[in-house]
Amino acid sequence: MACKRDTTDPANAGVPVPDTKAAVETAAATPREMIICDQKNARIIMVDVANGNAITWEWKATASYAMIRTGAQGWFSNLSDAKLVYNGAYILATASGGGVALISVSSKKAIWYDYAGGNTHSAELLPNGNVVTASTTGGYLLIFTVDSYINDESAQGGKVLFEDVHNVVWDNTRKVLYAAGKNQLKVFTYNNSCATPRLTLKSTYTMPQGNAHDLFPVHGSTTDLWLTNSSYIYKFNVTTGAFTLAKTLSAVKSVSSGPTGYPTILARATGAGGETWRTDQIIDINGALVYKNTALGLYKARWRLVNTFSYPAGDSFHECTHP
């Protein structure tokens, strides 16, 4: 008869003793993925840093699955941001080439895409399914009426001029949009209209230093946003309007935090990856290496986590459609 290990605790008859090896293996197998813009290879990737840094997913505008017409594929050069939206089922992506796309994670199809132009740096979902983009060149925000039957001919709201604007973040609790450029952070209300979408300036905050770059919710917080500029990382409190210095660090292109066990990760330009604004590594806020791949040219990185600051629980795809 084969020997069988006793897995009960003698002090608590019948209560299983945890199998430490099995528990470690299970923990190691739990994915911990980052969504990264790999500009050097013209793609968005997901990297599982808990399982050997495996690339688990990629998206290219030129691939047949993306369903982007040939003449529009160039809009997605130098991918600039990729946000997880609609309860993790889609990615909202932008590129310096001017493109913006809403991509199904499962099929990799761009179910909607269009051209914003002006070095598009960021985009955000609005509550009725429309999308607002931020373009640094020319300095403007632009609203698109999203209709999955219409690509690159979407109805647009009027441009909102904002010098060097680099980002947009929706606040689902307060129903306002934040955007930052130069030394200003502005707050806008949205009229929630499909036919005539419009942003209205509500308030303006002056940052301690200029050249705003990344703006993204602090994971798990209902009041704080990460904000980076040329030399600093701040937390901005949306209720008090206070900017609190979190780290003195230059050239940080993105910040993303998570729950316990997830380090706060940074994409910081090092010049690796073919351009001065790129890097080949992701570090944590204390400078420790989280991921490195010299074959890549990285720009921004986000944890693959649902953003509860910007979107309602269980949010699913919806759109503004017209007869």
Side-chain angles (χ1 to χ4, degrees):
M1 181 180 292
C3 291
K4 183 177 181 181
R5 182 164 59 91
D6 184 3
T7 58
T8 59
D9 184 341
N12 297 279
V15 178
V17 175
D19 187 327
T20 303
K21 182 174 182 295
V24 169
E25 289 176 347
T26 300
T30 302
R32 187 178 297 171
E33 294 173 295
M34 298 182 294
I35 303 170
I36 305 175
C37 294
D38 175 14
Q39 291 188 347
K40 184 176 181 179
N41 299 290
R43 61 182 181 168
I44 300 167
I45 58 174
M46 292 186 190
V47 176
D48 187 352
V49 295
N51 289 280
N53 292 332
I55 295 176
T56 58
W57 185 93
E58 76 164 18
W59 181 88
K60 291 186 174 184
T62 54
S64 59
Y65 55 68
M67 301 292 286
I68 293 177
R69 66 176 177 85
T70 303
Q73 291 170 359
W75 301 347
F76 295 92
S77 61
N78 285 338
L79 288 149
S80 56
D81 203 0
K83 295 180 177 179
L84 200 65
V85 298
Y86 289 135
N87 203 38
Y90 295 84
I91 286 175
L92 181 61
T94 53
S96 293
V100 54
L102 187 60
I103 302 159
S104 166
V105 173
S106 60
S107 71
K108 302 186 183 181
K109 178 184 177 182
I111 63 167
W112 172 83
Y113 66 92
D114 214 316
Y115 181 76
N119 192 2
T120 312
H121 242 67
S122 182
E124 183 61 292
L125 284 180
L126 294 168
N128 59 359
N130 284 345
V131 166
V132 57
T133 58
S135 295
T136 62
T137 303
Y140 57 88
L141 303 175
L142 183 60
I143 299 175
F144 291 86
T145 298
V146 173
D147 184 335
S148 59
Y149 289 93
I150 300 174
N151 287 311
D152 64 75
E153 293 182 354
S154 306
Q156 300 173 12
K159 289 182 178 180
V160 176
L161 296 180
F162 187 172
E163 187 180 5
D164 202 40
V165 63
H166 269 72
N167 46 66
V168 271
V169 173
W170 179 254
D171 183 337
N172 184 56
T173 299
R174 298 161 191 84
K175 309 302 180 189
V176 293
L177 183 79
Y178 306 99
K182 291 292 186 182
N183 69 333
Q184 291 189 325
L185 189 151
K186 296 185 179 183
V187 186
F188 299 88
T189 58
Y190 175 54
N191 67 352
N192 213 39
S193 170
C194 286
T196 56
R198 184 175 66 254
L199 296 172
T200 301
L201 182 64
K202 180 182 179 182
S203 54
T204 301
Y205 297 91
T206 300
M207 297 165 49
Q209 289 83 23
N211 298 321
H213 198 276
D214 196 35
L215 188 69
F216 201 72
V218 174
H219 182 85
S221 175
T222 59
T223 59
D224 291 332
L225 301 174
W226 293 110
L227 174 65
T228 73
N229 63 12
S230 298
S231 303
Y232 304 95
I233 302 172
Y234 293 95
K235 284 185 179 179
F236 173 72
N237 187 292
V238 302
T239 58
T240 67
F243 297 88
T244 302
L245 182 63
K247 194 77 174 179
T248 299
L249 199 64
S250 64
V252 175
K253 301 303 181 182
S254 68
V255 184
S256 180
S257 51
T260 301
Y262 282 72
T264 296
I265 55 172
L266 313 177
R268 184 188 184 205
T270 63
E275 297 290 352
T276 57
W277 59 82
R278 295 178 188 164
T279 184
D280 61 1
Q281 60 187 286
I282 303 301
I283 59 174
D284 72 14
I285 200 166
N286 296 312
L289 186 67
V290 176
Y291 173 70
K292 183 178 178 72
N293 188 330
T294 56
L296 310 183
L298 310 178
Y299 189 63
K300 288 181 185 175
R302 312 284 188 201
W303 285 118
R304 189 183 180 183
L305 295 169
V306 173
N307 174 3
T308 57
F309 180 91
S310 298
Y311 320 119
D315 196 21
S316 59
F317 174 70
H318 52 281
E319 57 191 329
C320 281
T321 56
H322 303 279

